[in-house]
Amino acid sequence: MEYKVEDDKIILTNADTFTPEGVLTSGQVFRFGRENGTWWVISGDNRAEISEIAPQNYIINTENPNFFVKYFDFDTNYDMILSRLKKFEVLGPALDYGRGVRLLRQPLFEVIVSFIISANNNIPRIQGSVNKIAEKFGEKRPWGYSFPNVERLAEASVEDFTRFGCGYRAPYLVDTISRLSTTTLLEDLPKMDTAEARKTLLTLKGVGPKVADCILLFGLGKYDVFPVDTWIDKVYHEDFHGTETCRNRIADYFVSTFGTDSGYCQQYLFYYKRKNITLI
DNA sequence: TCCCAGGCAAGGC
DNA sequence: GCCTTGCATGGG
């Protein structure tokens, strides 16, 4: 796969390890859509539109090409990751099906808010809540609304988040956003190793083991984690025939098996397990 | 009506 | 430490 950056676009050729479906509908991002064949995604204060101009050839139109090169992680070689994971026979179907999946490098604050909302929730509802947050507290742009920064979202009340459909997570959001806006945690977390960052994240309201792992994976680029939700729980019992019931121990099992490829492995398995559920 | 969704906090032991 | 319970809300 090769890419070329121009002023207002990225040109992607021989894209054998990238598809819009794979990166956008694999449950790691909540502000995206498709309009007559063209996919769009908003991250932070940036928007991109992805068009397929030929098989495995895409044009990504955006005002910030450099942001999206990093966001889509085009400098990481997925052939290497796939060849390592391919040695595990049980992963075969998931790797074939999810060949276009990549792990996005997303803005930390947006990931923390989004995944606190994700707890015991379903993806369409999460999308609704995150988009309403942007529409009420983000900056209006020609292309829509940015996701608010921490200072701006610290103005939101429990009632606001309840109105956005966040349910019982509303007070957790207010508490955690207040803490993030009055400390240097958002600057400090990226400097920590996985264990220290995880321990720190677990002190945030609304952040337990699974949400912490999602933040580490999607917002901090830590790949030695394996978020275990209800779908991965099914994978563990149905496909790996595991006997543990405690999700912490299930996560430990996967990390000890897949090491620093755990995050990638988890995303392929999650995407494959939900293959009959369409988000767009 | 019941079950489910990218689980977590709080309380009891 | 581990185990149980309550929890908002919309969709199947």
Side-chain angles (χ1 to χ4, degrees), chain A residues 19-268:
Chain A
T19 58
E21 293 91 334
V23 295
L24 299 181
T25 73
S26 55
Q28 51 184 322
V29 57
F30 303 103
R31 303 190 67 204
F32 66 91
R34 184 171 58 181
E35 283 162 23
N36 44 43
T38 296
W39 293 80
W40 61 266
V41 59
I42 297 173
S43 177
D45 199 2
N46 311 278
R47 177 182 160 117
E49 291 187 356
I50 309 165
S51 305
E52 184 177 23
I53 52 174
Q56 298 194 359
N57 285 269
Y58 297 91
I59 298 245
I60 301 172
N61 289 294
T62 171
E63 293 176 0
N64 294 309
N66 290 321
F67 173 88
F68 282 102
V69 167
K70 180 166 181 284
Y71 179 83
F72 291 119
D73 204 16
F74 286 142
D75 288 320
T76 292
N77 185 346
Y78 271 66
D79 293 325
M80 302 284 290
I81 298 162
L82 286 166
S83 72
R84 287 194 297 269
L85 290 176
K86 222 177 291 176
K87 293 171 188 160
F88 298 91
E89 207 170 310
V90 63
L91 302 180
L95 299 181
D96 290 339
Y97 176 75
R99 207 169 167 74
V101 169
R102 305 176 75 83
L103 285 170
L104 303 173
R105 293 184 178 271
Q106 305 183 60
L108 177 58
F109 177 61
E110 184 170 346
V111 169
I112 293 175
V113 171
S114 299
F115 279 88
I116 288 176
I117 295 170
S118 79
N120 197 27
N121 207 339
N122 58 63
I123 292 176
R125 273 198 69 219
I126 303 164
Q127 292 173 330
S129 294
V130 176
N131 279 312
K132 283 172 194 162
I133 288 172
E135 284 158 21
K136 288 292 178 185
F137 287 91
E139 299 292 327
K140 178 134 179 64
R141 303 297 184 209
W143 39 256
Y145 293 89
S146 70
F147 192 83
N149 61 29
V150 62
E151 292 81 14
R152 182 76 177 91
L153 200 55
E155 297 167 15
S157 65
V158 172
E159 290 70 28
D160 288 324
F161 287 117
T162 300
R163 193 152 13 97
F164 302 152
C166 299
Y168 62 87
R169 309 158 195 87
Y172 305 156
L173 290 165
V174 170
D175 188 291
T176 287
I177 293 165
S178 163
R179 210 179 136 204
L180 294 175
S181 71
T182 55
T183 64
T184 57
L185 275 178
L186 287 172
E187 302 165 38
D188 300 338
L189 280 163
K191 302 173 189 164
M192 301 178 189
D193 63 23
T194 302
E196 188 185 3
R198 191 170 199 271
K199 190 176 165 190
T200 306
L201 287 168
L202 288 172
T203 68
L204 299 175
K205 282 282 190 277
V207 178
K210 188 272 175 182
V211 170
D213 284 343
C214 285
I215 296 168
L216 288 164
L217 185 54
F218 304 135
L220 289 165
K222 305 294 191 191
Y223 301 104
D224 52 340
V225 296
F226 208 108
V228 179
D229 72 333
T230 171
W231 295 99
I232 293 297
D233 192 273
K234 284 192 188 89
V235 169
Y236 173 75
H237 290 103
E238 295 174 8
D239 305 313
F240 285 74
H241 311 293
T243 54
E244 292 284 0
T245 55
C246 169
R247 288 189 178 181
N248 284 327
R249 286 197 282 271
I250 294 174
D252 288 343
Y253 161 76
F254 280 122
V255 172
S256 67
T257 304
F258 298 107
T260 52
D261 289 324
S262 289
Y264 301 101
C265 177
Q266 186 272 162
Q267 199 65 6
Y268 289 115

